[in-house]
């Protein structure tokens, strides 16, 4: 199930990237070749880049590609490394709970605010990415915490090595 869900997210990101590229190309073509700029491509591309960034953040989290302090954490004893990993992931969960709650509030407070050229709702099409991507990242973070705690319980010293 998760494989299909992640495949759908990957497909959504690919479609958004291609669509954004086409919209920007269209805007450049109409502005510099036809000399008749369109009003809607800038806003449309802006919406797409916001969605690409935030949903892409989920993808990076899913693949454990976000920046970390590996150099510093790797210097700690193995047991402390695992504890730091769990505590760090718990802080991420707390932060994402705030992002989801405040993002939802912000999106709902801007539902009636239209974008200037396309006249679409900023709350629905732009700011809704905060709670949606936040929920995706939150689910992934909770899974990571559970996995990290599970590894901590089942892992012992490596073969041939004593406890630190």
């Amino acid at each position: 199930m998760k494989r299909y869900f992640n495949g759908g997210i990957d497909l959504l990101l690919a479609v958004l990237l291609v669509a954004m590229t086409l919209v920007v190309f269209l805007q450049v073509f109409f502005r510099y070749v036809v000399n008749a700029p369109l009003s809607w491509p800038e806003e449309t591309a802006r919406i797409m880049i916001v969605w690409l960034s935030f949903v892409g953040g989920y993808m990076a989290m899913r693949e454990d590609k976000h920046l970390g302090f590996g150099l510093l954490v790797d210097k700690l004893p193995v047991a402390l490394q695992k504890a730091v990993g769990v505590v760090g992931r718990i802080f991420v969960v707390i932060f994402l709970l705030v992002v989801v709650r405040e993002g939802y509030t912000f999106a709902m407070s801007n539902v009636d605010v239209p974008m200037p050229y396309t006249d679409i709702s900023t709350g629905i099409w732009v700011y809704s990415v905060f709670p949606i991507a936040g929920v995706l990242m939150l689910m992934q973070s909770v899974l990571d915490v559970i996995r990290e705690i599970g590894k901590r319980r089942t892992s012992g010293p490596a073969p041939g090595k004593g406890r630190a």
Side-chain angles (χ1 to χ4, degrees):
M1 170 89 169
K2 187 176 179 187
R3 190 178 88 202
Y4 293 115
F5 179 76
N6 286 332
I9 294 292
D10 293 347
L11 179 64
L12 171 69
L13 290 171
V15 167
L16 277 172
L17 184 61
V18 169
M20 186 182 69
T21 303
L22 291 173
V23 166
V24 170
F25 175 78
L26 187 68
Q27 173 66 348
V28 170
F29 177 79
F30 271 86
R31 176 168 292 191
Y32 295 107
V33 177
V34 179
N35 202 21
L38 301 172
S39 60
W40 60 269
E42 182 183 344
E43 285 181 358
T44 307
R46 189 178 320 150
I47 292 168
M48 289 185 214
I49 193 92
V50 168
W51 278 86
L52 275 167
S53 299
F54 280 86
V55 178
Y58 160 72
M59 185 173 144
M61 180 174 279
R62 175 186 80 199
E63 296 176 7
D64 202 23
K65 301 285 185 188
H66 280 285
L67 294 175
F69 294 98
L71 186 64
L72 178 63
V73 174
D74 290 346
K75 302 279 186 204
L76 299 172
V78 174
L80 195 52
Q81 286 178 19
K82 292 178 182 181
V84 166
V86 169
V87 170
R89 291 179 196 278
I90 289 171
F91 281 135
V92 169
V93 167
I94 293 167
F95 171 75
L96 288 171
L97 285 169
V98 173
V99 168
V100 169
R101 187 189 71 206
E102 295 301 318
Y104 176 79
T105 302
F106 189 65
M108 290 299 103
S109 67
N110 285 286
V111 166
D112 296 329
V113 178
M115 295 193 82
Y117 294 109
T118 57
D119 202 37
I120 61 174
S121 167
T122 57
I124 293 173
W125 293 103
V126 181
Y127 301 132
S128 64
V129 74
F130 296 125
I132 292 170
V135 165
L136 290 172
M137 288 188 232
L138 181 62
M139 291 187 314
Q140 183 63 48
S141 295
V142 168
L143 289 173
D144 289 345
V145 168
I146 292 168
R147 187 175 338 123
E148 198 68 34
I149 290 172
K151 279 197 299 190
R152 189 163 191 249
R153 286 186 182 164
T154 59
S155 65
K161 295 186 177 182
R163 292 192 182 269

